[in-house]
Amino acid sequence: MVVAHGFAKLSMNRLASLAGVSRATLYLYFSNKDEIVDAAIGRHLQFIAANTLSTVDPSPAQYVRTRINTLLLLGSMSPVLHNDLRAARPDLAAKLNSGYRNFQAGIITQLETDMAAAVITDTAHATTLYQQDHLFVRSVITSLTDDSIDTVAAQAVLTSYLTGAVRGTLRDPTATAAAFADNADFISTIWGEMQATYR
């Protein structure tokens, strides 16, 4: 919730309500809002670090994983949180930005590797693919945070977008279904992360 909505305007009472626990229960684990922010950003950075790509052998399945990783990164970049962190916790803002830059660099490097190995077409540059994802995902996240859509609708929209984007860029579009099937567990993890972040 802190990652999705920021923390400046959230009281401990509101945080307890959003977490579905009593205020007393929340205070058993955290003595103040700063501890909650530290824990939320720490968990977020661990998740990003665990999913940051190292360049691996290109394949349709790896390409799908790279595109899912892109959605993961972009879906976690809440403008409200970044504004709150820059204003109140510049140390955490710097750590988060560094994590995002490393994550983005890994994605672009893998996309370039996929392109060089002819797994994907060379009709778009790796940076362009990333920017397209950025524009699309940001609009979905904005719709989630202003309650225009719920997480179920967001998942459906993102799934449709991702499937079309992959099918349109793979050299062998018939490999799309198998590539998604090879990543079913990872996709489930990402949707679970979205549910937890934007509930």
Side-chain angles (χ1 to χ4, degrees):
M1 288 166 267
V2 170
V3 171
H5 303 289
F7 59 89
K9 295 179 181 178
L10 294 176
S11 66
M12 290 294 276
N13 285 340
R14 180 72 177 132
L15 285 167
S17 173
L18 287 170
V21 299
S22 71
R23 193 171 147 217
T25 300
L26 187 62
Y27 275 109
L28 286 174
Y29 296 96
F30 304 101
S31 61
N32 57 45
K33 194 164 52 170
D34 281 343
E35 287 183 8
I36 294 172
V37 170
D38 288 342
I41 299 303
R43 178 185 176 279
H44 191 57
L45 286 170
Q46 285 175 340
F47 191 78
I48 288 173
N51 290 288
T52 295
L53 292 174
S54 299
T55 304
V56 296
D57 290 336
S59 70
Q62 182 55 50
Y63 176 58
V64 167
R65 189 173 187 88
T66 301
R67 293 301 291 267
I68 295 166
N69 264 299
T70 303
L71 299 185
L72 166 69
L73 169 69
L74 296 172
S76 65
M77 295 175 71
S78 163
V80 175
L81 174 64
H82 284 279
N83 290 338
D84 288 355
L85 286 175
R86 277 193 294 274
R89 300 291 305 275
D91 58 321
L92 285 181
K95 284 182 185 177
L96 197 57
N97 287 333
S98 176
Y100 285 151
R101 280 191 303 275
N102 291 340
F103 198 101
Q104 178 183 350
I107 288 167
I108 290 173
T109 299
Q110 184 63 49
L111 289 171
E112 290 168 345
T113 300
D114 292 342
M115 205 170 287
V119 170
I120 59 176
T121 64
D122 57 3
T123 56
H125 293 285
T127 303
T128 303
L129 293 174
Y130 178 84
Q131 290 169 339
Q132 288 171 343
D133 289 348
H134 186 267
L135 291 171
F136 187 80
V137 172
R138 294 297 280 207
S139 67
V140 172
I141 297 308
T142 298
S143 295
L144 270 171
T145 57
D146 70 13
D147 295 324
S148 298
I149 61 173
D150 62 16
T151 55
V152 173
Q155 180 178 336
V157 168
L158 288 169
T159 298
S160 177
Y161 167 77
L162 182 61
T163 303
V166 167
R167 187 177 295 118
T169 51
L170 274 176
R171 285 236 186 240
D172 177 9
T174 63
T176 303
F180 274 92
D182 288 346
N183 284 286
D185 290 343
F186 185 60
I187 292 169
S188 178
T189 299
I190 299 306
W191 296 143
E193 188 70 14
M194 184 181 74
Q195 291 280 343
T197 301
Y198 291 100
R199 62 181 164 162

